[in-house]
Amino acid sequence: MKKVGFITLGCKVNIYESNALKNELIDNGFIISDADEICDVYIINTCSVTNMADAKSRKMIRKVIKMNPNAIICAMGCYVQTNEEAKNIDGVDILVGNGNKKVVVEEIIKRLNAPKEPKYVNILDILNTHDYEPLDVTTYDHTRAFVKIEDGCENFCTYCIIPYARGPVRCKAQDDVINELKRITDMGYLEVVLAGIHTGRYMDKGTNLSGLIKRILNEVPKLKRLRLSSIEINEVDNEFIELMRNNDILANHLHLPLQAGSDLILSKMERKYDTKYFLDRINKIRAARPDISITTDVIVGFPYETNKEYQETKSFIKKVGFSKLHVFPYSMRKGTKAVDMPQVHDATKKERALELIEYSKYLEREYSNRFIGSKLEIIIEQALDDQYMVGHTSNFLQVVMDLDSNLIGKNALVTITEIKDLKVYGKIEKNM
């Protein structure tokens, strides 16, 4: 039996797509192995969200070529889609972009039977690709299952390469989503995360994301928790807020990318909201869920960001009161509008990023401390070692508890007892 090593970089969608291919390979008699081992085949599912992601993708491709030059090497995904140089990496046998990863297993089998075949290249004109690629996962690695419901993005923010990597919005049929969630919950999974490149743009036969969630809540009775990977603030409609108000299966956590707290910078980024709109929607969300955890993404050092705009971003972050920040110094991306804008010095970007990362730690502590002594539902995910186990609450507190192996994969009631070095500790009260 042939061994296949996987390296998956980047987002939850990449993880989902890699898992779908793993399932198909297993069905065809392959063994999935650690990519650090000597394998017959290596698959690198690449990322291109930043220059660093491009560099890491190249590094991983070269690493496996060096590890076993006789193996079949398949590079696929966003780096392959957006970088012409990928075609010129010696030692790669199969190159596949986005929108057609279903060909990968077939091409691997073909090459194993004919090792002298020339390099196979299958890169679609992604901007003119309009069909959703049906890659489905049948087994999952963790207690929390991810379900891809959408692909593509049409926002074309001035800093972002992803629309050029993923193409226009395409969505999984809502009946297929419902059936997948039923299968997942029948297998015993308690939490499902809906994932996509631009999840909030979900639409199928007139049903938007809120309509899909309403169907899920009504038609998947075994589901204990439903979470979104990320959603844009202007796609949190009133129907979605009402669903949050009235149904606690929806997780008490939203990841809402802000990117900047300055209206000038938001305009230069060509985001689809201003700070007033963002704050108004946050207030409506908190009226429905007062103790909700709201996390966000922030880019610092974007073109035109002087100290004035940076201070505006800091001030706005404090006004919103996020529970955690994911901070990124702006990274120039060839092919985007922002490349031609006046750039901020790298040292300034680094300084601002470090400052906000420290502030994020403060926000995380402040939010977690609010729940000391509270009893919260938790889904227990895994043992950390032979002494502790860990799980997440609905509001995405990762809680460390004394190990009880009988509770792994189950939900329980936990009392939050202590916050230490950003770690949250709890005591199990009862199995639910």
Side-chain angles (χ1 to χ4, degrees):
M1 298 175 76
K2 300 295 184 181
K3 293 168 65 175
V4 182
F6 263 86
I7 297 173
T8 301
L9 306 173
C11 65
K12 300 293 192 299
V13 171
N14 267 10
I15 294 171
Y16 181 90
E17 291 171 345
S18 287
N19 285 341
L21 293 181
K22 288 178 184 178
N23 293 162
E24 188 178 349
L25 285 161
I26 290 168
D27 290 343
N28 280 276
F30 290 86
I31 297 172
I32 305 302
S33 185
D34 192 311
D36 287 331
E37 298 178 11
I38 298 298
C39 297
D40 302 286
V41 180
Y42 294 96
I43 298 175
I44 308 96
N45 196 356
T46 62
C47 178
S48 190
V49 69
T50 64
N51 289 332
M52 189 177 294
D54 277 351
K56 189 170 184 180
S57 295
R58 287 191 298 272
K59 181 181 178 181
M60 291 298 104
I61 293 168
R62 289 171 178 146
K63 175 184 175 182
V64 296
I65 292 170
K66 184 177 180 181
M67 184 182 299
N68 186 3
N70 297 316
I72 293 169
I73 310 296
C74 171
M76 65 180 189
C78 292
Y79 168 73
V80 172
Q81 185 71 47
T82 57
N83 289 269
E84 191 71 19
E85 67 185 30
K87 296 178 183 178
N88 300 320
I89 299 177
D90 290 336
V92 174
D93 302 292
I94 299 169
L95 276 171
V96 175
N98 286 322
N100 57 350
K101 292 177 180 175
K102 59 183 177 292
V103 304
V104 166
V105 176
E106 179 185 346
E107 288 303 319
I108 288 171
I109 294 169
K110 187 184 297 182
R111 185 162 292 270
L112 283 169
N113 293 324
K116 299 296 184 181
E117 282 286 309
K119 181 180 292 186
Y120 173 81
V121 179
N122 191 323
I123 300 173
L124 298 179
D125 176 4
I126 199 68
L127 292 178
N128 289 306
T129 300
H130 300 285
D131 294 328
Y132 181 84
E133 183 180 20
L135 291 173
D136 290 330
V137 177
T138 55
T139 59
Y140 302 84
D141 297 331
H142 304 289
T143 307
R144 184 184 303 115
F146 290 89
V147 173
K148 178 186 171 186
I149 64 169
E150 181 274 345
D151 203 344
C153 179
E154 298 167 19
N155 265 5
F156 291 96
C157 299
T158 58
Y159 54 83
C160 188
I161 199 70
I162 295 306
Y164 304 97
R166 284 284 179 172
V169 170
R170 293 97 69 201
C171 300
K172 182 179 287 186
Q174 55 185 308
D175 288 344
D176 291 343
V177 176
I178 298 296
N179 290 333
E180 187 168 358
L181 264 71
K182 285 180 178 177
R183 185 178 73 243
I184 289 167
T185 54
D186 284 344
M187 292 166 64
Y189 290 88
L190 301 180
E191 178 175 333
V192 172
V193 183
L194 301 182
I197 301 300
H198 192 167
T199 314
R201 284 291 305 277
Y202 181 88
M203 182 67 68
D204 177 58
K205 297 179 181 177
T207 297
N208 65 5
L209 180 62
S210 295
L212 175 67
I213 290 171
K214 187 174 182 179
R215 277 198 65 186
I216 292 170
L217 296 174
N218 289 332
E219 298 179 31
V220 189
K222 294 181 182 178
L223 183 64
K224 296 298 182 185
R225 186 183 296 162
L226 183 65
R227 196 182 297 278
L228 297 180
S229 59
S230 180
I231 185 172
E232 297 287 349
I233 191 70
N234 53 320
E235 288 149 4
V236 181
D237 60 20
N238 291 336
E239 183 180 7
F240 180 85
I241 292 173
E242 286 307 304
L243 288 170
M244 293 194 75
R245 188 191 308 276
N246 297 316
N247 198 310
D248 59 9
I249 290 176
L250 269 173
N252 201 25
H253 166 249
L254 287 174
H255 187 77
L256 302 168
L258 171 65
Q259 307 303 7
S262 159
D263 286 334
L264 171 67
I265 302 303
L266 288 174
S267 174
K268 297 295 184 184
M269 289 177 167
E270 294 188 13
R271 300 290 286 169
K272 307 299 188 279
Y273 52 84
D274 58 15
T275 52
K276 181 181 184 306
Y277 180 91
F278 195 101
L279 188 59
D280 285 347
R281 297 310 292 177
I282 291 290
N283 290 337
K284 284 183 169 64
I285 292 165
R286 286 206 169 110
R289 291 278 188 95
D291 60 350
I292 190 171
S293 170
I294 298 176
T295 57
T296 197
D297 298 330
V298 181
I299 296 172
V300 295
F302 188 78
Y304 297 100
E305 186 187 77
T306 67
N307 189 57
K308 175 178 178 292
E309 286 76 39
Y310 172 63
Q311 294 301 326
E312 288 173 354
T313 289
K314 281 176 57 182
S315 176
F316 188 72
I317 287 168
K318 291 177 182 179
K319 187 181 294 186
V320 173
F322 295 105
S323 52
K324 189 175 183 179
L325 313 175
H326 297 270
V327 183
F328 307 90
Y330 167 68
S331 174
M332 289 177 63
R333 301 299 288 119
K334 184 180 178 182
T336 63
K337 292 181 182 179
V339 167
D340 298 322
M341 297 178 184
Q343 301 297 312
V344 175
H345 196 277
D346 284 348
T348 302
K349 288 191 282 190
K350 183 178 180 180
E351 181 183 341
R352 292 172 182 173
L354 289 173
E355 183 176 16
L356 284 189
I357 288 167
E358 285 304 309
Y359 186 59
S360 177
K361 294 176 184 177
Y362 165 79
L363 291 173
E364 195 173 353
R365 278 193 297 271
E366 287 295 294
Y367 182 76
S368 300
N369 280 332
R370 288 165 52 182
F371 297 93
I372 292 177
S374 298
K375 290 181 171 59
L376 302 174
E377 276 196 52
I378 190 166
I379 295 176
I380 301 164
E381 295 159 18
Q382 61 184 353
L384 287 179
D385 49 35
D386 58 1
Q387 188 175 0
Y388 297 106
M389 60 186 182
V390 67
H392 281 85
T393 62
S394 179
N395 59 341
F396 215 55
L397 295 180
Q398 186 182 56
V399 183
V400 179
M401 302 148 284
D402 289 336
L403 178 63
D404 182 343
S405 56
N406 293 321
L407 292 180
I408 304 295
K410 298 179 181 177
N411 60 328
L413 193 67
V414 62
T415 297
I416 306 302
T417 57
E418 183 183 14
I419 315 296
K420 186 177 181 182
D421 298 328
L422 292 181
K423 285 187 177 180
V424 180
Y425 294 87
K427 177 185 176 183
I428 294 293
E429 297 295 337
K430 64 176 180 177
N431 184 3
M432 301 184 68

